[in-house]
Amino acid sequence: MGLSSKHHYELVVEQIASSETVEEERIECASHSCETLTTSLITNIPDDCLNLIFQGLNTSNDQDSFGLTCRQWLRIQSNNRTSLWFHSPLSSQKILEVSTECFSIILCKLLVRFQYLKALSLSGCPELTDAVASQSKYFGSHIQFLYLENCSKSSDTKLCSVLSWFPRLTTISLKDSCITDKGLEILAESCLSLQNVNLSHCKLISDSGLRFVSENCRELCSLCISYCGNITGIGLHGCSQTLTNLEAEHCNLESEGIKAIVSGGGLEHLNLAGLLRPLPDNGKGFDLGMIGEGFAINLRVLNLQHCLSVVNNRTVAVISKGCPLLWEWNLSGCWMVDLEGWQAIGLNCHNLETLDLARCFQLNDLGLQALREGCSKLEKLYITAHRKVSISALEMFKCKRPNVISCLLSPST
């Protein structure tokens, strides 16, 4: 034990020793051997005191050794286990190289043993057998965080089975899995308290499945649908106002989808990086400016990096007026924005602190002047060096706004 954990242990034992019950047992056992006395004291320590002792241990070695004392101490150790990771979320390689049957047996035993788990990761693990589902009634139902990333080989049926085991889920990651709209329906009906959902790279889901999540999970705060090619965004129509964070990189969103995304009115962080103009566009035109038409008034962070021809002067003007709280805006690679757009930002974005204009080759001296004279709270500005921005204009910007960190990037950055 470490010094502090040992001290904590001694204090708890001292309190126990001072109680009348233990004092009586000590007198009664005075005639017995030391071994009998020690065993009696260990087995009569209350569970709440053992919990305090376990929680006071500072090292994993001490905690791992705790359960070797006796069955009572093993139970205390098991009840204090709050997370179980079969696979590191930071690694793309499998840790477990076992058969499906063997893994299912191991998982069953561990879930039955650890009844108070709050986090469980099965990312990259083998597919589960039906034997696991038959034992699920014995699993603890306290799990709030579930990670099923990189489970592309697990069938949708098996994933649906797993999702129904844990009704208290608040966070789930199904990144790069075979989940379908039917799976999302089961998830939404089983886990009404979901707050954070990661569905990135789930190629089999569509707006139909997304609608189940949006309509049933009214506490949803964060949603990631990046690289989901079948989602247009309309499945989020009428989403809860609690939805504050949406990641939708490289999605095939439509105009009505954009309108649905902001319909809840609570968005604060919106990432649409890599959004391309839908083809075909059904003759309706594509309008990203809907972001600034009244529903996204609370928006603070907006990423439109590499949106290319989707972002133009009108888009920038509407958003700059309709999102007054915006403090971080990434327009990197939006080559269609010119002086009119920069003037709109300088005139309307009074709370903007970070502005990324890398590879915006329509930025010129007058545009830089508009940003210099406006955006009173600007702290960081990223621009790419090119011939339309002169050295004198950059020096003037630094002189007039010395508090702004202006990062000059090379064209290849």
Side-chain angles (χ1 to χ4, degrees), residues 86 96-110 126-129 131-132:
F86 283 95
L96 296 173
E97 295 294 341
V98 297
S99 66
T100 299
E101 292 75 14
C102 184
F103 171 69
S104 298
I105 294 173
I106 294 173
L107 179 62
C108 274
K109 289 182 177 294
L110 291 177
E127 186 175 11
L128 303 177
T129 64
V132 182

Side-chain angles (χ1 to χ4, degrees), residues 155-171:
S155 67
D156 184 57
T157 304
K158 295 296 174 59
L159 289 175
C160 290
S161 176
V162 174
L163 297 177
S164 64
W165 300 343
F166 310 116
R168 298 187 184 182
L169 284 183
T170 60
T171 298

Side-chain angles (χ1 to χ4, degrees), residues 42-324:
I42 289 178
T43 56
N44 282 280
I45 297 178
D47 285 358
D48 56 347
C49 293
L50 287 176
N51 277 316
L52 290 174
I53 294 172
F54 181 86
Q55 293 166 10
L57 301 177
N58 293 329
T59 68
S60 58
N61 287 335
D62 287 341
Q63 292 181 349
D64 292 339
S65 302
F66 187 90
L68 300 176
T69 306
C70 62
R71 288 185 178 182
Q72 181 190 14
W73 287 40
L74 178 62
R75 177 170 53 80
I76 296 298
Q77 181 194 53
S78 299
N79 290 346
N80 277 276
R81 183 69 179 254
T82 58
S83 63
L84 187 61
W85 300 85
F86 283 95
H87 182 263
S88 170
L90 303 178
S91 172
S92 60
Q93 298 179 348
K94 280 189 176 182
I95 291 179
L96 296 173
E97 295 294 341
V98 297
S99 66
T100 299
E101 292 75 14
C102 184
F103 171 69
S104 298
I105 294 173
I106 294 173
L107 179 62
C108 274
K109 289 182 177 294
L110 291 177
L111 290 181
V112 170
R113 175 184 171 186
F114 301 123
Q115 289 289 306
Y116 296 93
L117 290 177
K118 291 185 179 180
L120 174 65
S121 174
L122 301 177
S123 298
C125 291
E127 186 175 11
L128 303 177
T129 64
D130 294 332
V132 182
S134 66
Q135 300 295 316
S136 61
K137 59 184 177 181
Y138 301 110
F139 301 162
S141 59
H142 299 274
I143 291 179
Q144 300 176 14
F145 306 89
L146 179 63
Y147 302 90
L148 296 171
E149 299 180 357
N150 303 314
C151 293
S152 56
K153 294 182 179 180
S154 296
S155 67
D156 184 57
T157 304
K158 295 296 174 59
L159 289 175
C160 290
S161 176
V162 174
L163 297 177
S164 64
W165 300 343
F166 310 116
R168 298 187 184 182
L169 284 183
T170 60
T171 298
I172 186 170
S173 179
L174 289 159
K175 177 182 177 182
D176 194 21
S177 69
C178 288
I179 193 75
T180 65
D181 291 340
K182 181 61 178 177
L184 291 184
E185 180 181 3
I186 293 176
L187 173 66
E189 292 176 349
S190 304
C191 309
L192 300 178
S193 299
L194 278 175
Q195 297 177 10
N196 308 289
V197 178
N198 186 349
L199 300 172
S200 62
H201 295 272
C202 292
K203 301 177 181 178
L204 301 180
I205 63 174
S206 67
D207 290 285
S208 177
L210 197 60
R211 184 173 290 107
F212 288 118
V213 177
S214 175
E215 292 179 352
N216 288 276
C217 304
R218 306 307 291 178
E219 298 179 25
L220 191 63
C221 299
S222 177
L223 175 66
C224 180
I225 54 174
S226 297
Y227 297 92
C228 295
N230 296 324
I231 289 181
T232 66
I234 59 175
L236 288 173
H237 180 71
C239 57
S240 172
Q241 191 175 4
T242 60
L243 182 61
T244 58
N245 189 329
L246 179 66
E247 300 283 337
E249 291 188 50
H250 295 277
C251 285
N252 295 319
L253 303 180
E254 297 179 354
S255 296
E256 289 301 313
I258 298 295
K259 187 176 181 180
I261 283 173
V262 298
S263 63
L267 273 184
E268 297 180 5
H269 181 119
L270 178 59
N271 182 0
L272 300 178
L275 178 66
L276 299 176
R277 186 186 300 275
L279 294 173
D281 201 18
N282 301 324
K284 299 180 181 180
F286 185 79
D287 188 8
L288 198 58
M290 288 185 177
I291 295 174
E293 293 184 350
F295 288 102
I297 194 171
N298 294 312
L299 196 64
R300 287 167 170 76
V301 179
L302 178 59
N303 188 352
L304 300 179
Q305 182 181 19
H306 297 311
C307 286
L308 303 178
S309 60
V310 175
V311 178
N312 52 37
N313 287 330
R314 180 189 176 280
T315 304
V316 170
V318 174
I319 292 177
S320 65
K321 292 178 182 178
C323 304

